[in-house]
Amino acid sequence: MSGRRPIRFLTAAAAADLVQDGQTLAVGGSGGGLLEPDALLAALGRRFRETGSPRGLDLVHTTGIGDREGGGMDHLAQRGLVRSVVAGNWGMAPAMSAMAVAGEFEAYNFPQGVMSQLFREIAAGRPGVVTHVGLGTFCDPRVEAGRLNDVSPQTRVEVVELAGREWLFYPAFDLDVCFIRGTTADERGNLSFEQEGARLEMLAIAQATHNRGGIVVAQVKNVAKAGTLDPRLVVVPGICVDVVVHHPSQRQVVTHEYNPAFSGEVRAAVSTLPPFALDARKVVARRALAEISPGDVVNLGVGIADGIASVAAEEGRLDEFTTTIEQGAVGGIPARGVIFGVATNPEAILDQPAQFDFYDGGGLDIAFLGFAQVDAVGNVNVSKFGSRVVGTGGFVDISQNAGTVVFCGTFTAGGLDVRVGGGELSILAEGRHPKFVPAVTQVTFSARESVARGQRVRYVTERAVFDLTAGGLRLLEVAPGVDVRRDVVEHLPFPVLVEDVKTMEPEYFQ
């Protein structure tokens, strides 16, 4: 649809009334309240509880949206409201995830980068995303097609042949409404992001929805007079916006009303950041940090890997390499926990699709990611365990394309008790849940594809370090104080190559 439409300023409830039965709603935002249109989601959830409408929505979102405590997409986790959900991550909205696993609606999980790029393709009128990302993983239609339950048809992704090789094709779709967020809107609907810690794909979602004839609804903290915004801070132009919702109590993220070091307006003193306690997680972070070479461009994933930058800051090594996170930050120290997605003291904040373009083309020297399961051939699962679906997030995009991948995690989980100190590790009690298993529940990282690419892969735990070979795992190092047979090999349900095993540096344990 062409032509500039007049901007309407509405309440969150009035904006939620614009969503009709059976429509496709795209929602921008990331976990922990980052760029989350929280007032709009709450209003839509409240409308359904009170009126039973709108029904049968098709929901689309790129990252996990929520706080794991009922916020975000969990406002919409109501029977009858949802017909289908396509998402890059599910872990921040456990109620919605549980409904997906129970088969209450069609549900899909595709790579976060693919999802962000897909909005850009829709905006441009192209048929979808053609990419190598997802080959050999659960997103591949020859594996699970990204489906999270049996009621979901295998129609959302295809294998295609192009230029002499295989690719995955993720088709475009129509958009009727989108909920996005910025910091300030002027009277012409221009949106600036001066207090935000990311830009995500807000521009792409707005352009895609507008160009498909849909309604673009933007939540903002401030409203300004037309012509007063700095054009360099405007991320979404008013020509792509239809409705503005003023939400003065909007928080930057769920843990902070506003931290100017997240949005780059102030550079915080690194000495003010909380220290990292000496435990198994810190040991893993210290050993993983040793894999970085000066000048490397690094990705740090959510979970145990996000502590690597904190350790580097403590040890005065932060200036030796450049961190990145998939939500778009370049440089700085990524935040840990529920607000992963922002960074303290970023050097640049990119649109998320552009960050993934860089990743997909091989821009990362090394990536550090968590793991829930590793199997006999080296496959990794981070997306599904038991009946719980977390989703891939940016894991597939990043793990497939970095020159080196270091998977970080404890050797077992669920009650693991270790003592760290004096230059060694003592195992007091094993965790109840083995993380090295005969076969992973879901293939989020394909070892076969990795070996074929010649990728360098390490698996770092608090007691042992392995690498990936064409024949499976090889044990490289064990912690001081740890017995190779008793504490490592006898706990593995599959054989590993054991020869010339070295001892990890004692300094990691003191």
Side-chain angles (χ1 to χ4, degrees), residues 378-405:
N379 294 325
V380 175
N381 169 31
V382 299
S383 47
K384 182 179 182 181
F385 4 104
S387 60
R388 182 173 168 232
V389 171
V390 172
T392 171
F395 183 97
V396 173
D397 316 77
I398 295 162
S399 65
Q400 271 195 249
N401 294 304
T404 294
V405 182

PDB file of all heavy atoms in Angstrom, residues 378-405:
ATOM      1  N   GLY A 378      29.094 -35.938  18.603  1.00  0.00           N
ATOM      2  CA  GLY A 378      29.395 -34.530  18.800  1.00  0.00           C
ATOM      3  C   GLY A 378      28.247 -33.588  18.521  1.00  0.00           C
ATOM      4  O   GLY A 378      28.405 -32.362  18.624  1.00  0.00           O
ATOM      5  N   ASN A 379      27.056 -34.119  18.161  1.00  0.00           N
ATOM      6  CA  ASN A 379      25.880 -33.256  18.012  1.00  0.00           C
ATOM      7  C   ASN A 379      25.575 -32.561  19.330  1.00  0.00           C
ATOM      8  O   ASN A 379      25.835 -33.110  20.410  1.00  0.00           O
ATOM      9  CB  ASN A 379      24.649 -34.069  17.601  1.00  0.00           C
ATOM     10  CG  ASN A 379      24.764 -34.664  16.219  1.00  0.00           C
ATOM     11  OD1 ASN A 379      25.344 -34.062  15.320  1.00  0.00           O
ATOM     12  ND2 ASN A 379      24.205 -35.854  16.030  1.00  0.00           N
ATOM     13  N   VAL A 380      24.977 -31.375  19.240  1.00  0.00           N
ATOM     14  CA  VAL A 380      24.623 -30.612  20.437  1.00  0.00           C
ATOM     15  C   VAL A 380      23.139 -30.257  20.391  1.00  0.00           C
ATOM     16  O   VAL A 380      22.603 -29.921  19.342  1.00  0.00           O
ATOM     17  CB  VAL A 380      25.457 -29.318  20.550  1.00  0.00           C
ATOM     18  CG1 VAL A 380      25.005 -28.471  21.734  1.00  0.00           C
ATOM     19  CG2 VAL A 380      26.939 -29.652  20.677  1.00  0.00           C
ATOM     20  N   ASN A 381      22.500 -30.354  21.558  1.00  0.00           N
ATOM     21  CA  ASN A 381      21.107 -29.937  21.728  1.00  0.00           C
ATOM     22  C   ASN A 381      21.045 -28.832  22.762  1.00  0.00           C
ATOM     23  O   ASN A 381      21.555 -28.980  23.870  1.00  0.00           O
ATOM     24  CB  ASN A 381      20.257 -31.129  22.195  1.00  0.00           C
ATOM     25  CG  ASN A 381      18.861 -30.714  22.637  1.00  0.00           C
ATOM     26  OD1 ASN A 381      18.295 -29.754  22.132  1.00  0.00           O
ATOM     27  ND2 ASN A 381      18.312 -31.448  23.597  1.00  0.00           N
ATOM     28  N   VAL A 382      20.446 -27.695  22.376  1.00  0.00           N
ATOM     29  CA  VAL A 382      20.157 -26.641  23.351  1.00  0.00           C
ATOM     30  C   VAL A 382      18.684 -26.240  23.304  1.00  0.00           C
ATOM     31  O   VAL A 382      18.252 -25.371  24.050  1.00  0.00           O
ATOM     32  CB  VAL A 382      21.000 -25.368  23.104  1.00  0.00           C
ATOM     33  CG1 VAL A 382      22.471 -25.647  23.226  1.00  0.00           C
ATOM     34  CG2 VAL A 382      20.670 -24.727  21.769  1.00  0.00           C
ATOM     35  N   SER A 383      17.920 -26.850  22.410  1.00  0.00           N
ATOM     36  CA  SER A 383      16.595 -26.334  22.095  1.00  0.00           C
ATOM     37  C   SER A 383      15.444 -27.103  22.723  1.00  0.00           C
ATOM     38  O   SER A 383      14.363 -26.545  22.931  1.00  0.00           O
ATOM     39  CB  SER A 383      16.405 -26.294  20.576  1.00  0.00           C
ATOM     40  OG  SER A 383      16.812 -27.508  19.972  1.00  0.00           O
ATOM     41  N   LYS A 384      15.645 -28.380  23.053  1.00  0.00           N
ATOM     42  CA  LYS A 384      14.543 -29.174  23.589  1.00  0.00           C
ATOM     43  C   LYS A 384      15.087 -30.228  24.533  1.00  0.00           C
ATOM     44  O   LYS A 384      15.990 -30.977  24.184  1.00  0.00           O
ATOM     45  CB  LYS A 384      13.771 -29.844  22.441  1.00  0.00           C
ATOM     46  CG  LYS A 384      12.568 -30.654  22.895  1.00  0.00           C
ATOM     47  CD  LYS A 384      11.840 -31.260  21.700  1.00  0.00           C
ATOM     48  CE  LYS A 384      10.609 -32.030  22.125  1.00  0.00           C
ATOM     49  NZ  LYS A 384       9.912 -32.648  20.973  1.00  0.00           N
ATOM     50  N   PHE A 385      14.537 -30.282  25.739  1.00  0.00           N
ATOM     51  CA  PHE A 385      14.900 -31.341  26.683  1.00  0.00           C
ATOM     52  C   PHE A 385      13.649 -31.815  27.394  1.00  0.00           C
ATOM     53  O   PHE A 385      12.941 -31.014  28.019  1.00  0.00           O
ATOM     54  CB  PHE A 385      15.957 -30.916  27.701  1.00  0.00           C
ATOM     55  CG  PHE A 385      16.371 -29.478  27.641  1.00  0.00           C
ATOM     56  CD1 PHE A 385      15.909 -28.580  28.573  1.00  0.00           C
ATOM     57  CD2 PHE A 385      17.217 -29.022  26.638  1.00  0.00           C
ATOM     58  CE1 PHE A 385      16.277 -27.254  28.514  1.00  0.00           C
ATOM     59  CE2 PHE A 385      17.589 -27.692  26.587  1.00  0.00           C
ATOM     60  CZ  PHE A 385      17.121 -26.806  27.526  1.00  0.00           C
ATOM     61  N   GLY A 386      13.386 -33.115  27.260  1.00  0.00           N
ATOM     62  CA  GLY A 386      12.164 -33.668  27.799  1.00  0.00           C
ATOM     63  C   GLY A 386      10.968 -33.028  27.127  1.00  0.00           C
ATOM     64  O   GLY A 386      10.884 -32.910  25.908  1.00  0.00           O
ATOM     65  N   SER A 387      10.029 -32.570  27.932  1.00  0.00           N
ATOM     66  CA  SER A 387       8.831 -31.923  27.394  1.00  0.00           C
ATOM     67  C   SER A 387       8.976 -30.405  27.341  1.00  0.00           C
ATOM     68  O   SER A 387       8.025 -29.696  27.019  1.00  0.00           O
ATOM     69  CB  SER A 387       7.619 -32.273  28.278  1.00  0.00           C
ATOM     70  OG  SER A 387       7.829 -31.824  29.606  1.00  0.00           O
ATOM     71  N   ARG A 388      10.169 -29.903  27.630  1.00  0.00           N
ATOM     72  CA  ARG A 388      10.386 -28.458  27.674  1.00  0.00           C
ATOM     73  C   ARG A 388      11.057 -27.992  26.386  1.00  0.00           C
ATOM     74  O   ARG A 388      12.103 -28.508  26.002  1.00  0.00           O
ATOM     75  CB  ARG A 388      11.260 -28.110  28.880  1.00  0.00           C
ATOM     76  CG  ARG A 388      11.506 -26.623  29.057  1.00  0.00           C
ATOM     77  CD  ARG A 388      12.225 -26.352  30.368  1.00  0.00           C
ATOM     78  NE  ARG A 388      12.701 -24.985  30.412  1.00  0.00           N
ATOM     79  CZ  ARG A 388      13.931 -24.618  30.684  1.00  0.00           C
ATOM     80  NH1 ARG A 388      14.849 -25.535  30.940  1.00  0.00           N
ATOM     81  NH2 ARG A 388      14.281 -23.354  30.722  1.00  0.00           N
ATOM     82  N   VAL A 389      10.446 -27.009  25.735  1.00  0.00           N
ATOM     83  CA  VAL A 389      11.011 -26.424  24.524  1.00  0.00           C
ATOM     84  C   VAL A 389      11.537 -25.027  24.838  1.00  0.00           C
ATOM     85  O   VAL A 389      10.799 -24.183  25.338  1.00  0.00           O
ATOM     86  CB  VAL A 389       9.961 -26.341  23.396  1.00  0.00           C
ATOM     87  CG1 VAL A 389      10.504 -25.530  22.228  1.00  0.00           C
ATOM     88  CG2 VAL A 389       9.584 -27.736  22.926  1.00  0.00           C
ATOM     89  N   VAL A 390      12.805 -24.816  24.602  1.00  0.00           N
ATOM     90  CA  VAL A 390      13.412 -23.501  24.765  1.00  0.00           C
ATOM     91  C   VAL A 390      13.566 -22.828  23.409  1.00  0.00           C
ATOM     92  O   VAL A 390      13.334 -21.642  23.247  1.00  0.00           O
ATOM     93  CB  VAL A 390      14.778 -23.610  25.471  1.00  0.00           C
ATOM     94  CG1 VAL A 390      15.503 -22.276  25.481  1.00  0.00           C
ATOM     95  CG2 VAL A 390      14.594 -24.133  26.897  1.00  0.00           C
ATOM     96  N   GLY A 391      13.968 -23.605  22.425  1.00  0.00           N
ATOM     97  CA  GLY A 391      14.171 -23.065  21.090  1.00  0.00           C
ATOM     98  C   GLY A 391      15.619 -22.723  20.825  1.00  0.00           C
ATOM     99  O   GLY A 391      16.448 -22.641  21.719  1.00  0.00           O
ATOM    100  N   THR A 392      15.911 -22.495  19.566  1.00  0.00           N
ATOM    101  CA  THR A 392      17.295 -22.324  19.140  1.00  0.00           C
ATOM    102  C   THR A 392      17.847 -20.922  19.350  1.00  0.00           C
ATOM    103  O   THR A 392      19.028 -20.748  19.583  1.00  0.00           O
ATOM    104  CB  THR A 392      17.436 -22.699  17.649  1.00  0.00           C
ATOM    105  OG1 THR A 392      18.720 -22.330  17.189  1.00  0.00           O
ATOM    106  CG2 THR A 392      16.393 -22.001  16.796  1.00  0.00           C
ATOM    107  N   GLY A 393      16.982 -19.875  19.274  1.00  0.00           N
ATOM    108  CA  GLY A 393      17.535 -18.524  19.272  1.00  0.00           C
ATOM    109  C   GLY A 393      18.520 -18.391  18.114  1.00  0.00           C
ATOM    110  O   GLY A 393      18.311 -18.909  17.022  1.00  0.00           O
ATOM    111  N   GLY A 394      19.637 -17.708  18.355  1.00  0.00           N
ATOM    112  CA  GLY A 394      20.646 -17.533  17.314  1.00  0.00           C
ATOM    113  C   GLY A 394      21.657 -18.646  17.247  1.00  0.00           C
ATOM    114  O   GLY A 394      22.622 -18.573  16.472  1.00  0.00           O
ATOM    115  N   PHE A 395      21.457 -19.710  18.025  1.00  0.00           N
ATOM    116  CA  PHE A 395      22.433 -20.781  18.160  1.00  0.00           C
ATOM    117  C   PHE A 395      22.776 -21.441  16.825  1.00  0.00           C
ATOM    118  O   PHE A 395      23.947 -21.683  16.525  1.00  0.00           O
ATOM    119  CB  PHE A 395      21.892 -21.823  19.140  1.00  0.00           C
ATOM    120  CG  PHE A 395      22.813 -22.972  19.436  1.00  0.00           C
ATOM    121  CD1 PHE A 395      23.608 -22.969  20.569  1.00  0.00           C
ATOM    122  CD2 PHE A 395      22.871 -24.079  18.599  1.00  0.00           C
ATOM    123  CE1 PHE A 395      24.445 -24.031  20.851  1.00  0.00           C
ATOM    124  CE2 PHE A 395      23.702 -25.138  18.868  1.00  0.00           C
ATOM    125  CZ  PHE A 395      24.495 -25.110  19.997  1.00  0.00           C
ATOM    126  N   VAL A 396      21.768 -21.757  16.019  1.00  0.00           N
ATOM    127  CA  VAL A 396      22.018 -22.447  14.750  1.00  0.00           C
ATOM    128  C   VAL A 396      22.818 -21.555  13.810  1.00  0.00           C
ATOM    129  O   VAL A 396      23.832 -21.980  13.229  1.00  0.00           O
ATOM    130  CB  VAL A 396      20.696 -22.894  14.096  1.00  0.00           C
ATOM    131  CG1 VAL A 396      20.959 -23.460  12.700  1.00  0.00           C
ATOM    132  CG2 VAL A 396      20.002 -23.947  14.957  1.00  0.00           C
ATOM    133  N   ASP A 397      22.374 -20.319  13.651  1.00  0.00           N
ATOM    134  CA  ASP A 397      23.074 -19.386  12.761  1.00  0.00           C
ATOM    135  C   ASP A 397      24.544 -19.238  13.174  1.00  0.00           C
ATOM    136  O   ASP A 397      25.451 -19.258  12.331  1.00  0.00           O
ATOM    137  CB  ASP A 397      22.431 -17.998  12.822  1.00  0.00           C
ATOM    138  CG  ASP A 397      20.917 -18.023  12.788  1.00  0.00           C
ATOM    139  OD1 ASP A 397      20.315 -18.332  13.833  1.00  0.00           O
ATOM    140  OD2 ASP A 397      20.343 -17.713  11.741  1.00  0.00           O
ATOM    141  N   ILE A 398      24.772 -19.065  14.473  1.00  0.00           N
ATOM    142  CA  ILE A 398      26.115 -18.781  14.981  1.00  0.00           C
ATOM    143  C   ILE A 398      26.994 -20.025  14.933  1.00  0.00           C
ATOM    144  O   ILE A 398      28.131 -19.990  14.451  1.00  0.00           O
ATOM    145  CB  ILE A 398      26.025 -18.233  16.416  1.00  0.00           C
ATOM    146  CG1 ILE A 398      25.316 -16.875  16.414  1.00  0.00           C
ATOM    147  CG2 ILE A 398      27.412 -18.100  17.044  1.00  0.00           C
ATOM    148  CD1 ILE A 398      24.787 -16.458  17.768  1.00  0.00           C
ATOM    149  N   SER A 399      26.478 -21.151  15.423  1.00  0.00           N
ATOM    150  CA  SER A 399      27.301 -22.362  15.501  1.00  0.00           C
ATOM    151  C   SER A 399      27.662 -22.903  14.124  1.00  0.00           C
ATOM    152  O   SER A 399      28.707 -23.523  13.947  1.00  0.00           O
ATOM    153  CB  SER A 399      26.586 -23.445  16.321  1.00  0.00           C
ATOM    154  OG  SER A 399      25.391 -23.878  15.679  1.00  0.00           O
ATOM    155  N   GLN A 400      26.826 -22.662  13.123  1.00  0.00           N
ATOM    156  CA  GLN A 400      27.129 -23.146  11.781  1.00  0.00           C
ATOM    157  C   GLN A 400      28.181 -22.308  11.068  1.00  0.00           C
ATOM    158  O   GLN A 400      28.839 -22.790  10.150  1.00  0.00           O
ATOM    159  CB  GLN A 400      25.859 -23.141  10.917  1.00  0.00           C
ATOM    160  CG  GLN A 400      25.051 -24.409  10.987  1.00  0.00           C
ATOM    161  CD  GLN A 400      24.034 -24.492   9.877  1.00  0.00           C
ATOM    162  OE1 GLN A 400      22.852 -24.411  10.113  1.00  0.00           O
ATOM    163  NE2 GLN A 400      24.494 -24.665   8.652  1.00  0.00           N
ATOM    164  N   ASN A 401      28.361 -21.058  11.488  1.00  0.00           N
ATOM    165  CA  ASN A 401      29.120 -20.134  10.651  1.00  0.00           C
ATOM    166  C   ASN A 401      30.399 -19.588  11.260  1.00  0.00           C
ATOM    167  O   ASN A 401      31.218 -19.009  10.533  1.00  0.00           O
ATOM    168  CB  ASN A 401      28.199 -18.967  10.264  1.00  0.00           C
ATOM    169  CG  ASN A 401      27.051 -19.413   9.382  1.00  0.00           C
ATOM    170  OD1 ASN A 401      27.263 -20.004   8.332  1.00  0.00           O
ATOM    171  ND2 ASN A 401      25.829 -19.155   9.808  1.00  0.00           N
ATOM    172  N   ALA A 402      30.604 -19.728  12.558  1.00  0.00           N
ATOM    173  CA  ALA A 402      31.839 -19.239  13.169  1.00  0.00           C
ATOM    174  C   ALA A 402      33.008 -20.134  12.776  1.00  0.00           C
ATOM    175  O   ALA A 402      32.850 -21.345  12.591  1.00  0.00           O
ATOM    176  CB  ALA A 402      31.697 -19.205  14.685  1.00  0.00           C
ATOM    177  N   GLY A 403      34.203 -19.538  12.670  1.00  0.00           N
ATOM    178  CA  GLY A 403      35.387 -20.334  12.334  1.00  0.00           C
ATOM    179  C   GLY A 403      35.684 -21.382  13.388  1.00  0.00           C
ATOM    180  O   GLY A 403      36.005 -22.530  13.074  1.00  0.00           O
ATOM    181  N   THR A 404      35.572 -21.009  14.655  1.00  0.00           N
ATOM    182  CA  THR A 404      35.731 -21.923  15.787  1.00  0.00           C
ATOM    183  C   THR A 404      34.509 -21.808  16.681  1.00  0.00           C
ATOM    184  O   THR A 404      34.000 -20.709  16.905  1.00  0.00           O
ATOM    185  CB  THR A 404      36.986 -21.572  16.615  1.00  0.00           C
ATOM    186  OG1 THR A 404      38.152 -21.798  15.823  1.00  0.00           O
ATOM    187  CG2 THR A 404      37.079 -22.417  17.875  1.00  0.00           C
ATOM    188  N   VAL A 405      34.025 -22.931  17.179  1.00  0.00           N
ATOM    189  CA  VAL A 405      32.901 -22.935  18.117  1.00  0.00           C
ATOM    190  C   VAL A 405      33.358 -23.613  19.399  1.00  0.00           C
ATOM    191  O   VAL A 405      33.918 -24.720  19.368  1.00  0.00           O
ATOM    192  CB  VAL A 405      31.673 -23.676  17.563  1.00  0.00           C
ATOM    193  CG1 VAL A 405      30.519 -23.591  18.562  1.00  0.00           C
ATOM    194  CG2 VAL A 405      31.252 -23.109  16.235  1.00  0.00           C
TER     195      VAL A 405
END
